[in-house]
Amino acid sequence: MTAVAAIAWGLFTITVLHIISSHDPMYDTLSSYTVTDRGEGMLGASVLSLAVGSVAVLGALIAGGVPITATTRILLVLWALGLALAAVFPASYPAEPKPVSGEIHLYSCLVAFASLPGAAITMLEPLRGTAERALVVRWLKFGLTAVGLFALSFLFMRLNEAGIPPFGTLVELLPVGVTQRVTLIADVALLFVMIRIAVRTETARSAVLATSVPRP
């Protein structure tokens, strides 16, 4: 399946980048890997692959006959578009200042990280009464918790960079690198849940069609 292959390739690429780069995954955001001693360009390739896989997930949901609303489709498109823009427009850092690109990158990431949990929430009502709904709820809770912690740690980081002393301790207690990666894991898990729902729905629909066809 295209969705699984694209997402898996994105995960593989970013894992390799973490291994070969000298960045600290505890305190450095994923965006900072744009400026790296080894593996330049791998972050963008990984995020673009995840964006392509996300579009394929939407296609799988539609093709599988999963009951999703127009809002779900829009939010999944916004998630994929946010990822793509974040990959094309890297963050801005003192070593390589790109103010305009940095702003686009920041807001694209905000849109992306807000859109996928939103898409999962909009799936709950159409899936009411199904086993698939419980699956979405389980990973959605994890995802929302992760997003909340990431937002908090990102705020602490920004306030610390502004020179407000107490937030230095909070940055140590809630490392932004860790919370961002947990959020990414939660998002990828939600995508795989959606793929599973698409496959199970299509399989069930095919079984019903097969039993309804009159035998000669």
mmCIF file with all atom_site columns, all heavy atoms in Angstrom, residues 1 60 63-66 197-207:
data_model
loop_
_atom_site.group_PDB
_atom_site.id
_atom_site.type_symbol
_atom_site.label_atom_id
_atom_site.label_alt_id
_atom_site.label_comp_id
_atom_site.label_asym_id
_atom_site.label_entity_id
_atom_site.label_seq_id
_atom_site.pdbx_PDB_ins_code
_atom_site.Cartn_x
_atom_site.Cartn_y
_atom_site.Cartn_z
_atom_site.occupancy
_atom_site.B_iso_or_equiv
_atom_site.pdbx_formal_charge
_atom_site.auth_seq_id
_atom_site.auth_comp_id
_atom_site.auth_asym_id
_atom_site.auth_atom_id
_atom_site.pdbx_PDB_model_num
ATOM 1   N N   . MET A 1 1   ? 0.842   -1.187  0.000  1.00 0.00 ? 1   MET A N   1
ATOM 2   C CA  . MET A 1 1   ? 0.000   0.000   0.000  1.00 0.00 ? 1   MET A CA  1
ATOM 3   C C   . MET A 1 1   ? 0.885   1.247   0.000  1.00 0.00 ? 1   MET A C   1
ATOM 4   O O   . MET A 1 1   ? 1.860   1.340   0.759  1.00 0.00 ? 1   MET A O   1
ATOM 5   C CB  . MET A 1 1   ? -0.924  0.001   1.210  1.00 0.00 ? 1   MET A CB  1
ATOM 6   C CG  . MET A 1 1   ? -1.865  1.204   1.256  1.00 0.00 ? 1   MET A CG  1
ATOM 7   S SD  . MET A 1 1   ? -2.908  1.196   2.725  1.00 0.00 ? 1   MET A SD  1
ATOM 8   C CE  . MET A 1 1   ? -4.102  -0.051  2.235  1.00 0.00 ? 1   MET A CE  1
ATOM 9   N N   . ALA A 1 60  ? -7.061  6.124   0.857  1.00 0.00 ? 60  ALA A N   1
ATOM 10  C CA  . ALA A 1 60  ? -7.434  4.782   1.329  1.00 0.00 ? 60  ALA A CA  1
ATOM 11  C C   . ALA A 1 60  ? -8.756  4.821   2.093  1.00 0.00 ? 60  ALA A C   1
ATOM 12  O O   . ALA A 1 60  ? -9.594  3.914   1.954  1.00 0.00 ? 60  ALA A O   1
ATOM 13  C CB  . ALA A 1 60  ? -6.332  4.222   2.215  1.00 0.00 ? 60  ALA A CB  1
ATOM 14  N N   . ALA A 1 63  ? -11.480 5.305   -0.609 1.00 0.00 ? 63  ALA A N   1
ATOM 15  C CA  . ALA A 1 63  ? -11.621 4.090   -1.423 1.00 0.00 ? 63  ALA A CA  1
ATOM 16  C C   . ALA A 1 63  ? -12.204 2.934   -0.620 1.00 0.00 ? 63  ALA A C   1
ATOM 17  O O   . ALA A 1 63  ? -12.942 2.095   -1.156 1.00 0.00 ? 63  ALA A O   1
ATOM 18  C CB  . ALA A 1 63  ? -10.262 3.692   -2.004 1.00 0.00 ? 63  ALA A CB  1
ATOM 19  N N   . GLY A 1 64  ? -11.868 2.897   0.683  1.00 0.00 ? 64  GLY A N   1
ATOM 20  C CA  . GLY A 1 64  ? -12.366 1.806   1.522  1.00 0.00 ? 64  GLY A CA  1
ATOM 21  C C   . GLY A 1 64  ? -13.810 1.971   1.946  1.00 0.00 ? 64  GLY A C   1
ATOM 22  O O   . GLY A 1 64  ? -14.385 1.061   2.531  1.00 0.00 ? 64  GLY A O   1
ATOM 23  N N   . GLY A 1 65  ? -14.392 3.141   1.673  1.00 0.00 ? 65  GLY A N   1
ATOM 24  C CA  . GLY A 1 65  ? -15.788 3.365   2.037  1.00 0.00 ? 65  GLY A CA  1
ATOM 25  C C   . GLY A 1 65  ? -15.981 3.736   3.493  1.00 0.00 ? 65  GLY A C   1
ATOM 26  O O   . GLY A 1 65  ? -17.076 3.582   4.049  1.00 0.00 ? 65  GLY A O   1
ATOM 27  N N   . VAL A 1 66  ? -14.917 4.254   4.130  1.00 0.00 ? 66  VAL A N   1
ATOM 28  C CA  . VAL A 1 66  ? -15.035 4.671   5.532  1.00 0.00 ? 66  VAL A CA  1
ATOM 29  C C   . VAL A 1 66  ? -15.907 5.929   5.593  1.00 0.00 ? 66  VAL A C   1
ATOM 30  O O   . VAL A 1 66  ? -15.685 6.875   4.825  1.00 0.00 ? 66  VAL A O   1
ATOM 31  C CB  . VAL A 1 66  ? -13.647 4.974   6.133  1.00 0.00 ? 66  VAL A CB  1
ATOM 32  C CG1 . VAL A 1 66  ? -13.778 5.432   7.578  1.00 0.00 ? 66  VAL A CG1 1
ATOM 33  C CG2 . VAL A 1 66  ? -12.752 3.740   6.039  1.00 0.00 ? 66  VAL A CG2 1
ATOM 34  N N   . ILE A 1 197 ? -8.332  1.070   9.724  1.00 0.00 ? 197 ILE A N   1
ATOM 35  C CA  . ILE A 1 197 ? -9.777  1.240   9.585  1.00 0.00 ? 197 ILE A CA  1
ATOM 36  C C   . ILE A 1 197 ? -10.192 1.124   8.122  1.00 0.00 ? 197 ILE A C   1
ATOM 37  O O   . ILE A 1 197 ? -11.199 0.487   7.795  1.00 0.00 ? 197 ILE A O   1
ATOM 38  C CB  . ILE A 1 197 ? -10.211 2.601   10.161 1.00 0.00 ? 197 ILE A CB  1
ATOM 39  C CG1 . ILE A 1 197 ? -10.068 2.604   11.680 1.00 0.00 ? 197 ILE A CG1 1
ATOM 40  C CG2 . ILE A 1 197 ? -11.652 2.936   9.770  1.00 0.00 ? 197 ILE A CG2 1
ATOM 41  C CD1 . ILE A 1 197 ? -10.284 3.950   12.321 1.00 0.00 ? 197 ILE A CD1 1
ATOM 42  N N   . ALA A 1 198 ? -9.403  1.742   7.240  1.00 0.00 ? 198 ALA A N   1
ATOM 43  C CA  . ALA A 1 198 ? -9.706  1.685   5.808  1.00 0.00 ? 198 ALA A CA  1
ATOM 44  C C   . ALA A 1 198 ? -9.671  0.246   5.302  1.00 0.00 ? 198 ALA A C   1
ATOM 45  O O   . ALA A 1 198 ? -10.560 -0.186  4.553  1.00 0.00 ? 198 ALA A O   1
ATOM 46  C CB  . ALA A 1 198 ? -8.714  2.542   5.026  1.00 0.00 ? 198 ALA A CB  1
ATOM 47  N N   . VAL A 1 199 ? -8.658  -0.504  5.720  1.00 0.00 ? 199 VAL A N   1
ATOM 48  C CA  . VAL A 1 199 ? -8.516  -1.899  5.272  1.00 0.00 ? 199 VAL A CA  1
ATOM 49  C C   . VAL A 1 199 ? -9.654  -2.760  5.806  1.00 0.00 ? 199 VAL A C   1
ATOM 50  O O   . VAL A 1 199 ? -10.255 -3.558  5.065  1.00 0.00 ? 199 VAL A O   1
ATOM 51  C CB  . VAL A 1 199 ? -7.159  -2.472  5.725  1.00 0.00 ? 199 VAL A CB  1
ATOM 52  C CG1 . VAL A 1 199 ? -7.082  -3.968  5.446  1.00 0.00 ? 199 VAL A CG1 1
ATOM 53  C CG2 . VAL A 1 199 ? -6.017  -1.757  5.005  1.00 0.00 ? 199 VAL A CG2 1
ATOM 54  N N   . ARG A 1 200 ? -9.961  -2.609  7.093  1.00 0.00 ? 200 ARG A N   1
ATOM 55  C CA  . ARG A 1 200 ? -11.019 -3.420  7.702  1.00 0.00 ? 200 ARG A CA  1
ATOM 56  C C   . ARG A 1 200 ? -12.387 -3.092  7.111  1.00 0.00 ? 200 ARG A C   1
ATOM 57  O O   . ARG A 1 200 ? -13.219 -3.978  6.898  1.00 0.00 ? 200 ARG A O   1
ATOM 58  C CB  . ARG A 1 200 ? -11.026 -3.208  9.213  1.00 0.00 ? 200 ARG A CB  1
ATOM 59  C CG  . ARG A 1 200 ? -9.815  -3.812  9.906  1.00 0.00 ? 200 ARG A CG  1
ATOM 60  C CD  . ARG A 1 200 ? -9.774  -3.508  11.388 1.00 0.00 ? 200 ARG A CD  1
ATOM 61  N NE  . ARG A 1 200 ? -10.887 -4.113  12.110 1.00 0.00 ? 200 ARG A NE  1
ATOM 62  C CZ  . ARG A 1 200 ? -10.990 -4.109  13.436 1.00 0.00 ? 200 ARG A CZ  1
ATOM 63  N NH1 . ARG A 1 200 ? -10.044 -3.530  14.163 1.00 0.00 ? 200 ARG A NH1 1
ATOM 64  N NH2 . ARG A 1 200 ? -11.999 -4.674  14.030 1.00 0.00 ? 200 ARG A NH2 1
ATOM 65  N N   . THR A 1 201 ? -12.627 -1.811  6.852  1.00 0.00 ? 201 THR A N   1
ATOM 66  C CA  . THR A 1 201 ? -13.914 -1.410  6.270  1.00 0.00 ? 201 THR A CA  1
ATOM 67  C C   . THR A 1 201 ? -14.061 -1.961  4.862  1.00 0.00 ? 201 THR A C   1
ATOM 68  O O   . THR A 1 201 ? -15.131 -2.470  4.481  1.00 0.00 ? 201 THR A O   1
ATOM 69  C CB  . THR A 1 201 ? -14.031 0.130   6.239  1.00 0.00 ? 201 THR A CB  1
ATOM 70  O OG1 . THR A 1 201 ? -13.874 0.642   7.560  1.00 0.00 ? 201 THR A OG1 1
ATOM 71  C CG2 . THR A 1 201 ? -15.388 0.551   5.697  1.00 0.00 ? 201 THR A CG2 1
ATOM 72  N N   . GLU A 1 202 ? -12.984 -1.861  4.089  1.00 0.00 ? 202 GLU A N   1
ATOM 73  C CA  . GLU A 1 202 ? -13.045 -2.368  2.719  1.00 0.00 ? 202 GLU A CA  1
ATOM 74  C C   . GLU A 1 202 ? -13.212 -3.885  2.700  1.00 0.00 ? 202 GLU A C   1
ATOM 75  O O   . GLU A 1 202 ? -13.960 -4.433  1.878  1.00 0.00 ? 202 GLU A O   1
ATOM 76  C CB  . GLU A 1 202 ? -11.770 -1.975  1.968  1.00 0.00 ? 202 GLU A CB  1
ATOM 77  C CG  . GLU A 1 202 ? -11.805 -2.361  0.496  1.00 0.00 ? 202 GLU A CG  1
ATOM 78  C CD  . GLU A 1 202 ? -10.605 -1.844  -0.268 1.00 0.00 ? 202 GLU A CD  1
ATOM 79  O OE1 . GLU A 1 202 ? -9.603  -1.472  0.371  1.00 0.00 ? 202 GLU A OE1 1
ATOM 80  O OE2 . GLU A 1 202 ? -10.668 -1.825  -1.510 1.00 0.00 ? 202 GLU A OE2 1
ATOM 81  N N   . THR A 1 203 ? -12.531 -4.581  3.614  1.00 0.00 ? 203 THR A N   1
ATOM 82  C CA  . THR A 1 203 ? -12.643 -6.039  3.696  1.00 0.00 ? 203 THR A CA  1
ATOM 83  C C   . THR A 1 203 ? -14.075 -6.453  4.054  1.00 0.00 ? 203 THR A C   1
ATOM 84  O O   . THR A 1 203 ? -14.638 -7.383  3.463  1.00 0.00 ? 203 THR A O   1
ATOM 85  C CB  . THR A 1 203 ? -11.667 -6.597  4.751  1.00 0.00 ? 203 THR A CB  1
ATOM 86  O OG1 . THR A 1 203 ? -10.330 -6.231  4.398  1.00 0.00 ? 203 THR A OG1 1
ATOM 87  C CG2 . THR A 1 203 ? -11.766 -8.112  4.836  1.00 0.00 ? 203 THR A CG2 1
ATOM 88  N N   . ALA A 1 204 ? -14.647 -5.740  5.040  1.00 0.00 ? 204 ALA A N   1
ATOM 89  C CA  . ALA A 1 204 ? -16.025 -6.050  5.457  1.00 0.00 ? 204 ALA A CA  1
ATOM 90  C C   . ALA A 1 204 ? -17.011 -5.780  4.328  1.00 0.00 ? 204 ALA A C   1
ATOM 91  O O   . ALA A 1 204 ? -17.942 -6.569  4.097  1.00 0.00 ? 204 ALA A O   1
ATOM 92  C CB  . ALA A 1 204 ? -16.382 -5.227  6.685  1.00 0.00 ? 204 ALA A CB  1
ATOM 93  N N   . ARG A 1 205 ? -16.790 -4.691  3.604  1.00 0.00 ? 205 ARG A N   1
ATOM 94  C CA  . ARG A 1 205 ? -17.680 -4.344  2.494  1.00 0.00 ? 205 ARG A CA  1
ATOM 95  C C   . ARG A 1 205 ? -17.581 -5.376  1.380  1.00 0.00 ? 205 ARG A C   1
ATOM 96  O O   . ARG A 1 205 ? -18.593 -5.789  0.795  1.00 0.00 ? 205 ARG A O   1
ATOM 97  C CB  . ARG A 1 205 ? -17.336 -2.955  1.949  1.00 0.00 ? 205 ARG A CB  1
ATOM 98  C CG  . ARG A 1 205 ? -18.323 -2.445  0.916  1.00 0.00 ? 205 ARG A CG  1
ATOM 99  C CD  . ARG A 1 205 ? -17.981 -1.043  0.471  1.00 0.00 ? 205 ARG A CD  1
ATOM 100 N NE  . ARG A 1 205 ? -16.684 -0.971  -0.196 1.00 0.00 ? 205 ARG A NE  1
ATOM 101 C CZ  . ARG A 1 205 ? -16.216 0.115   -0.797 1.00 0.00 ? 205 ARG A CZ  1
ATOM 102 N NH1 . ARG A 1 205 ? -16.935 1.222   -0.815 1.00 0.00 ? 205 ARG A NH1 1
ATOM 103 N NH2 . ARG A 1 205 ? -15.039 0.111   -1.371 1.00 0.00 ? 205 ARG A NH2 1
ATOM 104 N N   . SER A 1 206 ? -16.364 -5.840  1.103  1.00 0.00 ? 206 SER A N   1
ATOM 105 C CA  . SER A 1 206 ? -16.171 -6.853  0.059  1.00 0.00 ? 206 SER A CA  1
ATOM 106 C C   . SER A 1 206 ? -16.843 -8.164  0.443  1.00 0.00 ? 206 SER A C   1
ATOM 107 O O   . SER A 1 206 ? -17.416 -8.859  -0.410 1.00 0.00 ? 206 SER A O   1
ATOM 108 C CB  . SER A 1 206 ? -14.671 -7.085  -0.171 1.00 0.00 ? 206 SER A CB  1
ATOM 109 O OG  . SER A 1 206 ? -14.050 -5.909  -0.618 1.00 0.00 ? 206 SER A OG  1
ATOM 110 N N   . ALA A 1 207 ? -16.779 -8.498  1.746  1.00 0.00 ? 207 ALA A N   1
ATOM 111 C CA  . ALA A 1 207 ? -17.409 -9.737  2.213  1.00 0.00 ? 207 ALA A CA  1
ATOM 112 C C   . ALA A 1 207 ? -18.924 -9.669  2.061  1.00 0.00 ? 207 ALA A C   1
ATOM 113 O O   . ALA A 1 207 ? -19.573 -10.644 1.661  1.00 0.00 ? 207 ALA A O   1
ATOM 114 C CB  . ALA A 1 207 ? -17.040 -9.982  3.674  1.00 0.00 ? 207 ALA A CB  1
#
